[in-house]
Amino acid sequence: MRRSWKLSCATVASCLIWVAPASKAETVQHESEMSLLGVYMVPDDSRTDEYGMGVRATYGARLDESWWLEPTLFTGVIETGKAGVTDYYQQGLGADIAYRLFGNAPFTPFALAGLGVSRNDVANNSASEFGGYGNVGFGFLSSPLSDSGLRLRAEARYVYDSFDGGQSDLHFAAGITVPIGATRRQIVEKVKYIEKPVVVEKERVQELADSDNDGVVDGVDQCPNTLEGLEVDAVGCVKTDKAQSVVLQGVTFEFNSDRLTANARDILVRASEALKGQQDLKVELAGHTDSVGGADYNQKLSQKRAEAVRNYLIDLGVAPSRLIARGYGETKPIRSNDTEDGRERNRRVEFNVISEGGDQS
């Protein structure tokens, strides 16, 4: 028995040395598992000098990170070594409490202890004796061998059986453990797969942002805050090789006056930022009215309003040399003055780009 016990311990130790390097920096977590193991049995000397073979099935249920409850069932045959004599048969049903030293680590040693009911069917004895048993043991679970979480399990147990005044047996077992449900290792892989495109998408959104809506992304745009509606070049600056015009929508005045409204001042702040963003840009601020009232009066009113816009932009920090104020009165309508909507459209201030060839005419 001692020779067999030493041989079996050496086998278990060599398995531990072989499996340990396979450990990876991952975690393995599931709520339950099934283990099926082949068992080599070293019986008590008072039972026989031979050996036994058996099978053990264990169901594991997680209690917390390290503790497991393991109901177990085993059955085996113990050789008698005597010709013509029936072998011994042994079964056991019980439950163990197991503690895994490294918790959810892929490779983890464990220790266990438990109690159960045993049955011994002995040669030359027609009666089957039921009793109890207790066992303690140690073993290890290997790192996952496949994506499904399949692992190798090996263990050694000291089993005390109450049969026939008490028997001390050794069980050495090895087999496979299969997780029931998804492992944390699988979930981590899925989370990485989901999160990676989200990060890339955020980076792409930042790269493709176009704050001033001029068609040139911010990373390339050399003239920020361009007024929407003006044609720009490849680097986002307003083209100055040709005349362009955009209506300053919302730039309005108090009734029959050149005094800017509060809303108009807010809009002109944005216009000043556009001018500051492109220092070579010169513009004509063109004032227009509808046809209500006398032509001379409308001409003077449009000039005053254009100058009011110019003066406010100068107050905001735009160089006076870049701004020309010109009133056109009712001479350049863009809609019919026969309707209220048309007249409202004609009462406007335009932001006209002065081309490199000269003043806007």
Side-chain angles (χ1 to χ4, degrees):
M1 175 179 174
R2 291 179 179 178
R3 183 172 59 256
S4 300
W5 183 82
K6 290 180 180 180
L7 176 63
S8 301
C9 287
T11 301
V12 172
S14 65
C15 290
L16 284 167
I17 294 171
W18 176 76
V19 175
S23 177
K24 299 178 182 179
E26 299 173 342
T27 59
V28 177
Q29 182 171 348
H30 41 271
E31 297 307 312
S32 57
E33 62 190 23
M34 283 293 300
S35 299
L36 184 63
L37 303 94
V39 183
Y40 178 80
M41 305 167 64
V42 181
D44 192 294
D45 289 341
S46 63
R47 195 192 297 266
T48 177
D49 291 334
E50 298 296 324
Y51 64 92
M53 302 293 289
V55 176
R56 179 182 295 274
T58 298
Y59 173 80
R62 176 186 295 277
L63 300 178
D64 64 14
E65 182 175 353
S66 298
W67 290 97
W68 288 71
L69 175 64
E70 296 186 341
T72 183
L73 170 68
F74 71 87
T75 181
V77 178
I78 301 175
E79 300 290 337
T80 62
K82 299 177 181 178
V85 177
T86 304
D87 296 329
Y88 300 153
Y89 298 94
Q90 185 183 45
Q91 296 89 38
L93 175 65
D96 301 316
I97 292 292
Y99 180 81
R100 299 185 180 181
L101 274 65
F102 302 151
N104 295 322
F107 171 83
T108 180
F110 63 84
L112 59 84
L115 300 170
V117 177
S118 64
R119 176 179 179 273
N120 289 270
D121 189 0
V122 183
N124 299 321
N125 187 340
S126 58
S128 296
E129 181 172 332
F130 287 89
Y133 77 88
N135 66 182
V136 294
F138 67 92
F140 69 84
L141 281 162
S142 75
S143 300
L145 305 178
S146 68
D147 291 339
S148 64
L150 182 71
R151 305 169 79 182
L152 174 66
R153 175 172 173 143
E155 61 183 42
R157 297 175 183 245
Y158 167 78
V159 182
Y160 177 80
D161 191 340
S162 64
F163 170 69
D164 196 22
Q167 304 288 327
S168 297
D169 301 330
L170 295 176
H171 290 190
F172 300 97
I176 58 172
T177 295
V178 180
I180 300 175
T183 66
R184 177 177 290 180
R185 177 172 177 260
Q186 294 169 322
I187 294 172
V188 168
E189 292 174 351
K190 290 180 181 178
V191 169
K192 288 181 179 178
Y193 179 79
I194 292 170
E195 288 181 350
K196 186 174 181 180
V198 173
V199 173
V200 171
E201 187 64 27
K202 288 180 180 178
E203 291 175 353
R204 286 185 62 196
V205 169
Q206 293 173 352
E207 290 174 359
L208 300 179
D210 181 11
S211 301
D212 55 8
N213 297 315
D214 61 358
V216 179
V217 297
D218 291 349
V220 178
D221 200 336
Q222 296 180 12
C223 297
N225 305 311
T226 304
L227 288 180
E228 190 170 355
L230 294 176
E231 186 177 351
V232 299
D233 57 20
V235 293
C237 295
V238 176
K239 291 183 177 181
T240 58
D241 58 351
K242 62 179 182 179
Q244 297 190 65
S245 179
V246 64
V247 176
L248 296 178
Q249 298 287 354
V251 175
T252 56
F253 301 84
E254 295 180 8
F255 177 73
N256 200 28
S257 168
D258 61 353
R259 187 187 300 273
L260 291 163
T261 62
N263 183 62
R265 293 174 183 272
D266 291 339
I267 293 171
L268 290 176
V269 169
R270 294 197 293 271
S272 71
E273 294 299 325
L275 289 165
K276 293 175 185 177
Q278 186 173 345
Q279 293 297 323
D280 63 339
L281 184 62
K282 296 181 180 180
V283 299
E284 176 194 64
L285 302 167
H288 300 271
T289 68
D290 57 28
S291 61
V292 177
D296 290 341
Y297 177 80
N298 287 335
Q299 173 64 38
K300 292 178 182 179
L301 180 59
S302 65
Q303 181 66 37
K304 289 181 179 180
R305 287 180 171 178
E307 290 176 354
V309 171
R310 180 178 184 271
N311 292 335
Y312 190 65
L313 290 173
I314 292 172
D315 290 342
L316 292 173
V318 181
S321 60
R322 301 173 59 196
L323 304 170
I324 295 175
R326 185 172 296 165
Y328 290 91
E330 60 188 62
T331 61
K332 292 188 177 184
I334 57 175
R335 294 289 190 276
S336 171
N337 282 301
D338 294 335
T339 65
E340 178 58 35
D341 179 67
R343 290 191 294 273
E344 182 179 351
R345 294 293 187 92
N346 290 332
R347 297 191 297 268
R348 68 195 187 279
V349 176
E350 290 179 340
F351 189 101
N352 297 329
V353 176
I354 298 176
S355 66
E356 294 173 351
D359 290 350
Q360 182 86 2
S361 58

